[in-house]
Amino acid sequence: MEAGIALRALFEAFPDLALAVPVSELVPQASFIANGFQRLPVILRPAEVAAAV
């Protein structure tokens, strides 16, 4: 539930959130417990800036 609230707030604050690198450059996290990436570089663009464009 918390993740859903946090992700909703993140995407409302940064509607143009995008990966900063191609998907092919993402390195998987070496873990059998969780899926994910070692780093997830993103480009943030605040909602105020996106609305002005």
Side-chain angles (χ1 to χ4, degrees), residues 24-46:
S24 61
E25 291 184 22
L26 297 177
V27 179
Q29 181 68 33
S31 171
F32 64 90
I33 296 173
N35 290 329
F37 300 100
Q38 290 181 2
R39 291 176 197 81
L40 192 60
V42 296
I43 298 170
L44 300 177
R45 190 172 189 189

Side-chain angles (χ1 to χ4, degrees), residues 3-4 7 11 16 36 38-39 45 47 49-50 52:
L7 289 173
F11 293 126
D16 293 331
Q38 290 181 2
R39 291 176 197 81
R45 190 172 189 189
V49 175

